[in-house]
Amino acid sequence: MGRIRSAIAATVVGAAIAAQGASAQTTTPDPPTTTVTAPPPPPVSQPQIPAGLAPALMPNPKPKPVSKPPKAAKHGPAKKPKGGGGGEGEKGAAKTGGATTPAPTSPAPTACGPIAVPASLVPIYEAASQEYELGPSGPSVLAAINEIETGFGANLGPSSAGAEGWMQFMPSTWASYGVDADGDGVKNPNDPDDAIFAAARYLRASGMPEDPEGAVFSYNHADWYVAEVMARAACFSGIGNGVVGGLSLIPKRQELTCAPVQGARQAIPDEYLKAVQSAAGRYDLGEAGVWALAAVARIESDYGRGMSARQLRDRGPMGITDYNWDRYAVDGDGDGKVRRQSPADSAATVARMIWAADDLRAGLFQQNHAEWYVEAVLADADAMAGSCEVRTVSYSVALPGPTSLPINWPNVELSNSLEMVDIQSGSIDPRILNILAAISQEHTIRISALRSDHSMNTASGNVSNHYYGRAMDIAAIDGTPCTDVSPDGPCGVIAQQLGALPAGQEPTELIYCFDPDGPSNPNGFSQADHCDHIHVGFDA
């Protein structure tokens, strides 16, 4: 399940490379022992935000398959989310002495939108998470649910479904999981201590900390809800210094366009081909998944042709049992409805079931507990398997506001003390700090220039974006100097990933020994004097 968990929680960086949002509280690293006075930065319009701030651009995470039936019924619906500097010759970095090793930051909770986490609630999230052993991500998951369900207590209900209180429990679920956390002798869903501790108890019973996405799905059986909670939890990940899953610089998914082999026993109707392609891409099943899903539809119903309207409505073209439908049903076509008769919904549901099993054969066996059935599906899939064009596309669904994703300081090497002064004084543009934070989550990075250790002008005589705190130079990634300019080397890969960010997030100056984002994009270009570092910059 590790690949599934990190896919959802990647939920965070496209996250780390977005336009700046509202300011947030952070704790900056201790200053170097030797004080160095940096020249005062020119006036800038950006807020003075120190290290650790990273605005949120959340990818649209793929839904999390549930590894076990939920332990209790959901307690009421949640609200559905609403969805240049010229770049000429950045040469002239000044070298000024030994490297500084800063201490890791511990960012305070921040806002992920218009509402900040109330400071009074943070100790409750932390205590509840500790009491029920929810793991490092527990406090932030509780905060995310609290925000989505009631806006941190602003709307206690009851909802149209009868859910009430700080965490929106249905009365029957509260009867099973309610607790008297504050010791006043009453289990009260309208009391924040009682409600948050009860939610922690429920999440623990539903699979946390091993399976946070499954536990959240148990809380509300909706993929959008799981995605939104995990996105907000990642945004609040500074609470309790917890983390939510793994991060990657550019969360991606596959897009498949396939054609069955000529002379296949039965042509696949276009509607079904589109459905199985989309489902296989969404759930990382690859080409084998496309043909297996198509074979299931053919064997079960001859692509719906062998079923009456009532059978399609009650069972669907993929022959999914009630048990599996209840566990894995998903809105595959994004129309807001989950219907068995929909080829997209049924195909996505079977794909989700296979994904949950982490193995094609095991997933097919879950569909029908018979070895002959698994062999029949695989044989049929082989018979129709043609070719697929596979394209990897980036998620680019933005959510408002900043996150508290911190710079991972153990992975960052600064060239001199001036660079730390730049960061601590707020002289560095938040967009640069975002990229530094994003890269440092999974890679080591060595910076060779920020603001005060770079010349004011470029080699061509223009005022450099370094001077305004809007640029940095990267000298090495993962211990490999950027003099290794091969496209598949660490620096080459990172440069290309930065160049592949969606419009509005890609640096407006991206310079390396080769053009990182291709000739069609003017933001990136090559320069011979940048064959030892990647220049990352933003215009005003």
Side-chain angles (χ1 to χ4, degrees), residues 158-528:
S159 72
S160 57
E164 60 184 357
W166 274 77
M167 304 298 274
Q168 290 293 281
F169 278 94
M170 289 293 287
S172 59
T173 311
W174 180 259
S176 299
Y177 291 92
V179 297
D180 175 19
D182 58 6
D184 65 357
V186 179
K187 299 177 182 179
N188 181 7
N190 291 310
D191 178 272
D193 292 272
D194 293 359
I196 292 168
F197 271 73
R201 181 185 180 190
Y202 184 88
L203 291 170
R204 173 67 178 181
S206 299
M208 282 191 73
E210 295 82 8
D211 186 13
E213 295 87 8
V216 173
F217 186 87
S218 180
Y219 206 94
N220 185 334
H221 303 329
D223 282 335
W224 66 262
Y225 184 85
V226 176
E228 178 71 349
V229 167
M230 299 312 294
R232 308 311 267 174
C235 183
F236 295 139
S237 61
I239 298 176
N241 290 318
V243 294
V244 182
L247 305 176
S248 60
L249 190 62
I250 309 176
K252 295 181 177 180
R253 61 180 173 82
Q254 282 190 339
E255 210 172 69
L256 300 104
T257 305
C258 304
V261 67
Q262 286 189 343
R265 182 170 9 175
Q266 176 65 59
I268 306 173
D270 286 344
E271 183 181 16
Y272 282 83
L273 184 58
K274 290 178 181 176
V276 298
Q277 288 171 171
S278 175
R282 180 176 184 177
Y283 289 99
D284 287 333
L285 302 186
E287 296 184 39
V290 172
W291 309 119
L293 293 171
V296 169
R298 195 199 71 76
I299 290 173
E300 292 286 355
S301 70
D302 191 19
Y303 306 110
R305 289 187 281 251
M307 304 182 82
S308 66
R310 180 171 181 175
Q311 287 173 324
L312 281 170
R313 184 179 65 251
D314 294 343
R315 182 123 176 180
M318 306 291 282
I320 304 167
T321 65
D322 290 342
Y323 176 74
N324 286 331
W325 183 261
D326 289 342
R327 293 185 73 190
Y328 300 111
V330 61
D331 178 10
D333 53 14
D335 66 356
K337 301 175 182 177
V338 183
R339 300 172 301 160
R340 273 181 157 160
Q341 63 265 43
S342 162
D345 293 358
S346 283
T349 298
V350 175
R352 182 179 191 172
M353 182 171 60
I354 294 171
W355 194 20
D358 260 344
D359 178 80
L360 181 58
R361 280 183 170 273
L364 293 173
F365 190 81
Q366 176 72 17
Q367 164 79 358
N368 184 325
H369 297 319
E371 193 59 37
W372 68 262
Y373 179 87
V374 175
E375 296 301 332
V377 169
L378 294 177
D380 222 35
D382 286 342
M384 68 176 70
S387 59
C388 292
E389 177 184 334
V390 182
R391 189 167 72 97
T392 301
V393 295
S394 299
Y395 293 112
S396 59
V397 177
L399 293 176
T403 78
S404 56
L405 179 69
I407 292 174
N408 184 15
W409 283 113
N411 281 349
V412 176
E413 180 184 346
L414 301 179
S415 297
N416 54 75
S417 56
L418 287 178
E419 292 171 355
M420 179 53 71
V421 172
D422 284 342
I423 293 172
Q424 289 182 310
S425 66
S427 301
I428 303 304
D429 190 293
R431 294 170 293 183
I432 293 296
L433 297 177
N434 296 342
I435 290 178
L436 179 58
I439 295 173
S440 71
Q441 300 307 309
E442 292 186 339
H443 304 277
T444 62
I445 178 173
R446 185 165 79 244
I447 303 300
S448 57
L450 281 175
R451 178 189 172 272
S452 297
D453 56 341
H454 194 280
S455 59
M456 176 177 177
N457 295 323
T458 68
S460 59
N462 296 322
V463 176
S464 169
N465 274 324
H466 280 281
Y467 181 69
Y468 296 100
R470 298 194 300 258
M472 69 176 170
D473 290 341
I474 301 171
I477 296 288
D478 293 335
T480 301
C482 289
T483 50
D484 176 356
V485 297
S486 58
D488 57 352
C491 292
V493 169
I494 290 295
Q496 292 174 86
Q497 287 180 329
L498 293 173
L501 288 169
Q505 300 166 57
E506 181 190 2
T508 55
E509 280 182 345
L510 186 56
I511 314 171
Y512 193 33
C513 200
F514 63 85
D515 185 350
D517 58 7
S520 62
N521 192 333
N523 291 338
F525 49 94
S526 63
Q527 283 191 321

